[in-house]
Amino acid sequence: MYRKMAWWLALVLLLAGCSSVDIDRYADTTPRLDIGEYFAGQTRAWGMVQDYRGEVQRRFTVEIDGDYDGDTLTLDEHFVYDDGETDRRVWTFQRQDDGRWMGRANDVEGPVEARQSGHAFNMTYRLPVEVSGREITFTLDDWMFLQPDDRLINRTAMKKFGITLAEVTIVFERLGGDADSHNADTFSDTNADAPGT
């Protein structure tokens, strides 16, 4: 029995390690996504974290200030969670050749190599997260997909030992140049669950 269980565990780990999608398959898709152009200015986002069973564990909103000079993109992200917790992350991305970016953030381990192709963007990085009073470092497989209505859908698998233990879903919406960011729905309101509410 133990031999059979070990065989199944080895198979799951093997499949988990081989499940990554090649971003080049999206090369001919539209609308084309360029993260520098998309995140320049102000962006608002709504997200949730689901555990391995699919149960929603946390919900949050994000206000993002983006600065882009043609080569460097800086994203100043302010999170508000449904339990009142707040957080901040600052990303800096340097444009490379052939749709590649090199990114860094204040709470992410090491430099992060990212790629964009067609309507998709992907990066994989290691992020320490506090869970039940102790710090666990997850590997995040982060995908963004630009939609025809200019909204951006972000799906992120949080993995440990190659197994997905949680998933994060975020929807981004760009704000117009004269948009009033003070009207943003946050979890101090009751309508912060979806864009446009």
Side-chain angles (χ1 to χ4, degrees), residues 12-30:
V12 168
L13 291 173
L14 177 63
L15 292 175
C18 298
S19 62
S20 184
V21 176
D22 185 350
I23 196 171
D24 287 332
R25 70 177 298 154
Y26 300 117
D28 297 326
T29 60
T30 58

Side-chain angles (χ1 to χ4, degrees), residues 116-192:
Q116 61 188 29
S117 183
H119 78 297
F121 173 87
N122 174 242
M123 61 180 176
T124 302
Y125 57 94
R126 289 169 53 82
L127 177 69
V129 178
E130 185 174 324
V131 179
S132 300
R134 65 191 185 103
E135 190 173 270
I136 299 176
T137 298
F138 290 91
T139 297
L140 276 65
D141 187 15
D142 195 329
W143 286 88
M144 296 182 184
F145 301 96
L146 183 60
Q147 304 305 300
D149 66 358
D150 204 39
R151 287 192 175 95
L152 188 64
I153 298 176
N154 186 184
R155 293 292 306 275
T156 303
M158 297 180 66
K159 301 181 179 182
K160 189 69 176 176
F161 305 120
I163 299 174
T164 299
L165 300 179
E167 290 190 345
V168 183
T169 304
I170 307 175
V171 178
F172 296 91
E173 181 177 75
R174 291 199 288 183
L175 303 180
D178 57 353
D180 184 3
S181 63
H182 297 292
N183 290 332
D185 291 327
T186 68
F187 279 102
S188 61
D189 303 313
T190 58
N191 297 324

